[in-house]
């Protein structure tokens, strides 16, 4: 039921077979993905795609993110269906640069957030199955391939502190247990690799430090991030 396939036949091919590179920045809520993307957006000429969270907060006037946090059992499927669509849109958009960096991916939407709703009993099995069938169809028939996952590994406590400080109104309701559950799933998926097949190699960066130290780490890992071995 899980839906983990990744069709290797589909790759970002341009011109005479020139290979393009897709890097996804992954990590818990408030793990510092935006700082990482900002650093690369400012210091390189690569294409940087941020998560379409603004769209999720305003779908023709409806705040789907807010609805989901208020009542996950009712709105989880609606938000995740929409997120899957917006992520598909991002993955399949024509690339304007040889290197694309994305905030999260269709893969983490499915394996982390949908999985968490299902496992915690807030998504009925039939909703989970329908989303899984969509996901499997997408991975088989479109190019959502990834060349490198950069996992910003944080403690859930760090994310909790950052979340409180940034005060995004929909997220006020988030409890420590939620961040712990998302953390455990990320660890299962990208570290233990027991959740399902990981779509690319993974570079782990410990991300509990302050912003200045994190920027130093991005500088140190810059080449490894921008030129993953194919
Ligand atoms: N979200 C969700 N389901 C997904 C993806 C995200 O419910 N499939 C939620 C979690 C957050 C919000 O959307 O409340 C924004 O997600 P991020 O954690 O990815 O974005 P941040 O801005 O928090 O990232 P960071 O603080 O790491 O820069």
């Amino acid at each position: 039921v899980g839906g983990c396939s990744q069709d290797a036949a589909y790759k970002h091919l341009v011109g005479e077979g020139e290979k393009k590179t897709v890097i996804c920045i992954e990590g818990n809520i408030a793990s510092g993905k935006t700082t990482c993307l900002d650093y690369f957006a400012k210091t390189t000429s690569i294409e940087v795609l941020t998560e379409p969270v603004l769209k999720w907060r305003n779908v023709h006037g409806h705040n789907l993110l807010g609805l989901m946090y208020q009542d996950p059992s009712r709105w989880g499927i609606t938000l995740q269906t929409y997120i899957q669509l917006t992520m598909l849109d991002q993955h399949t958009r024509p690339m304007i640069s040889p290197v694309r960096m994305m905030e999260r991916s269709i893969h983490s939407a499915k394996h982390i957030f949908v999985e968490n709703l299902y496992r915690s009993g807030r998504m009925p099995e039939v909703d989970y199955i329908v989303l899984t069938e969509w996901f499997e169809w997408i991975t088989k028939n479109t190019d959502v391939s990834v060349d490198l996952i950069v996992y910003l590994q944080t403690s859930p406590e760090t994310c909790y502190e950052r979340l409180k400080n940034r005060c995004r109104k929909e997220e006020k309701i988030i409890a420590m247990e939620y961040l712990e559950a998302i953390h455990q799933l990320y660890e299962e998926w990208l570290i233990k690799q027991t959740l399902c097949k990981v779509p690319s190699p993974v570079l782990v960066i410990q991300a509990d430090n302050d912003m200045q130290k994190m920027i130093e780490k991005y500088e140190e890992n810059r080449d490894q991030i921008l030129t993953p071995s194919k």
Side-chain angles (χ1 to χ4, degrees):
V1 184
C4 299
S5 66
Q6 170 82 23
D7 198 327
Y10 290 93
K11 285 281 168 190
H12 287 285
L13 294 170
V14 281
E16 295 295 297
E18 181 203 337
K19 174 73 179 71
K20 291 206 169 193
T21 301
V22 179
I23 304 155
C24 291
I25 309 299
E26 294 284 358
N28 206 340
I29 301 167
S31 56
K33 296 177 293 297
T34 307
T35 309
C36 178
L37 289 157
D38 281 352
Y39 167 78
F40 284 98
K42 283 188 192 129
T43 58
T44 65
S45 59
I46 64 168
E47 179 186 359
V48 173
L49 298 183
T50 52
E51 205 173 39
V53 61
L54 278 177
K55 281 191 179 175
W56 313 338
R57 298 172 91 182
N58 183 2
V59 189
H60 294 253
H62 300 273
N63 184 345
L64 257 184
L65 188 68
L67 286 171
M68 191 280 292
Y69 279 124
Q70 279 159 34
D71 188 353
S73 305
R74 170 64 186 86
W75 298 110
I77 177 74
T78 321
L79 174 68
Q80 295 306 330
T81 302
Y82 192 62
I83 289 181
Q84 188 154 269
L85 173 65
T86 57
M87 283 296 179
L88 176 62
D89 174 55
Q90 291 216 332
H91 280 282
T92 56
R93 212 174 273 182
M95 285 176 69
I96 56 170
S97 156
V99 180
R100 164 179 287 174
M101 188 175 273
M102 288 180 63
E103 180 170 12
R104 288 225 175 95
S105 59
I106 197 165
H107 306 284
S108 55
K110 173 68 174 66
H111 300 312
I112 305 293
F113 288 91
V114 173
E115 192 67 27
N116 182 55
L117 281 164
Y118 177 57
R119 284 193 188 185
S120 63
R122 284 170 297 177
M123 179 177 281
E125 187 176 19
V126 67
D127 286 352
Y128 179 73
I129 290 170
V130 170
L131 268 179
T132 300
E133 289 213 4
W134 267 106
F135 180 77
E136 281 175 350
W137 190 93
I138 289 166
T139 49
K140 199 163 167 226
N141 294 286
T142 67
D143 181 1
V144 290
S145 60
V146 172
D147 298 288
L148 179 71
I149 290 175
V150 177
Y151 173 34
L152 302 184
Q153 188 183 43
T154 47
S155 69
E157 288 80 10
T158 303
C159 293
Y160 192 70
E161 282 308 308
R162 292 179 185 163
L163 204 73
K164 294 290 146 201
N165 288 334
R166 83 169 171 207
C167 283
R168 197 182 268 159
K169 71 175 189 315
E170 296 86 348
E171 295 176 342
K172 284 205 176 102
I173 205 166
I174 294 181
M176 185 63 193
E177 293 72 48
Y178 186 73
L179 296 174
E180 270 163 6
I182 298 291
H183 174 73
Q184 286 312 326
L185 277 169
Y186 261 114
E187 294 286 302
E188 264 184 60
W189 185 39
L190 299 178
I191 304 291
K192 295 183 203 131
Q193 307 210 352
T194 48
L195 191 59
C196 71
K197 195 172 170 290
V198 181
S200 76
V202 180
L203 175 70
V204 184
I205 297 185
Q206 227 300 317
D208 278 326
N209 307 91
D210 62 33
M211 197 192 270
Q212 189 48 44
K213 177 76 184 153
M214 289 316 302
I215 287 171
E216 284 169 27
K217 287 195 185 183
Y218 299 139
E219 261 154 26
E220 280 161 28
N221 286 282
R222 196 183 159 88
D223 290 347
Q224 235 187 315
I225 294 172
L226 292 176
T227 49
S229 49
K230 306 275 162 60

